[in-house]
Amino acid sequence: MPGVTQVWKRQEGRGKRKVESVPDCLIAIDSSGSMINPRKNLSYAVLGAACAADAYLRNHSRVAVYNFSDAPMGGKDILNYTHRRDDIYRVLCKYFGGGTALDLDDLMPMIEGRRNLDLFIITDMKITNLETLTGFFEKIQNRITTVHIGENLMRQDLRRPLGVKRILVSLR
């Protein structure tokens, strides 16, 4: 998906340079009531997440999924790091339809100790605990790609704290 997903090519050769591999990826996808239900209509959030997962899987990396709606109240599905496409796509397509809040206690164990990890979050930015989330983003060292779906002025709140290691993409 141009402008959203990224593909890395591994290069090998003579020399003393460090060989870099494609990192694992944690995809956090919003499935709250303000997002499109993928069972009823085409969801660009699910499509983009599936394309990103595919790019990592084709390069032999593992993908984890954190599908959230009102996560602190149980509206979430968590898939640990895997190569299994069917499991990844099943969790990406799950739709909760409730409010929108992440539970950082769920995300922390999936990120801690993983320096070679990309965090890929897809949301419409109508997150009730957005300030907590941006504070969390400032503390971690991983590369973060945020994909904004739809029209919402709250995305400016997320742009401010994002540094060079963070990318914000908007889809309308």
Side-chain angles (χ1 to χ4, degrees):
M1 185 174 225
V4 176
T5 57
Q6 207 172 15
V7 176
W8 296 265
K9 292 192 183 230
R10 183 176 177 166
Q11 295 180 346
E12 295 184 38
R14 290 185 167 180
K16 292 185 179 182
R17 63 183 209 149
K18 183 174 138 184
V19 176
E20 293 188 30
S21 63
V22 178
D24 288 337
C25 180
L26 168 57
I27 298 174
I29 185 167
D30 181 348
S31 65
S32 65
S34 58
M35 300 293 283
I36 292 174
N37 183 343
R39 291 188 181 121
K40 294 183 178 180
N41 293 305
L42 173 63
S43 168
Y44 291 118
V46 172
L47 178 61
C51 289
D54 182 62
Y56 284 91
L57 292 171
R58 280 187 283 117
N59 285 283
H60 312 291
S61 295
R62 295 179 306 154
V63 175
V65 180
Y66 179 69
N67 184 328
F68 67 96
S69 176
D70 194 354
M73 299 305 289
K76 62 187 173 191
D77 195 355
I78 300 170
L79 176 68
N80 220 338
Y81 295 91
T82 184
H83 293 286
R84 297 176 59 174
R85 287 178 191 275
D86 290 343
D87 292 344
I88 293 166
Y89 296 152
R90 177 189 50 78
V91 176
L92 288 176
C93 291
K94 191 166 189 177
Y95 185 75
F96 290 99
T100 315
L102 288 97
D103 190 343
L104 297 182
D105 290 337
D106 294 331
L107 286 177
M108 287 304 296
M110 299 177 84
I111 295 173
E112 284 179 337
R114 294 180 174 270
R115 297 198 51 74
N116 195 21
L117 174 72
D118 289 347
L119 175 59
F120 193 86
I121 181 168
I122 302 177
T123 181
D124 61 3
M125 302 297 180
K126 296 178 184 174
I127 301 172
T128 56
N129 60 344
L130 186 62
E131 191 172 310
T132 305
L133 180 64
T134 56
F136 171 71
F137 282 173
E138 291 173 346
K139 292 177 186 172
I140 63 174
Q141 298 299 311
N142 307 83
R143 180 171 44 188
I144 302 168
T145 302
T146 305
V147 179
H148 170 256
I149 302 286
E151 291 291 331
N152 185 352
L153 296 176
M154 289 177 76
R155 71 183 174 156
Q156 295 303 323
D157 292 338
L158 195 56
R159 274 187 199 247
R160 272 185 235 116
L162 302 181
V164 175
K165 66 179 179 167
R166 287 116 163 95
I167 304 163
L168 181 68
V169 179
S170 288
L171 297 178
R172 295 185 181 148

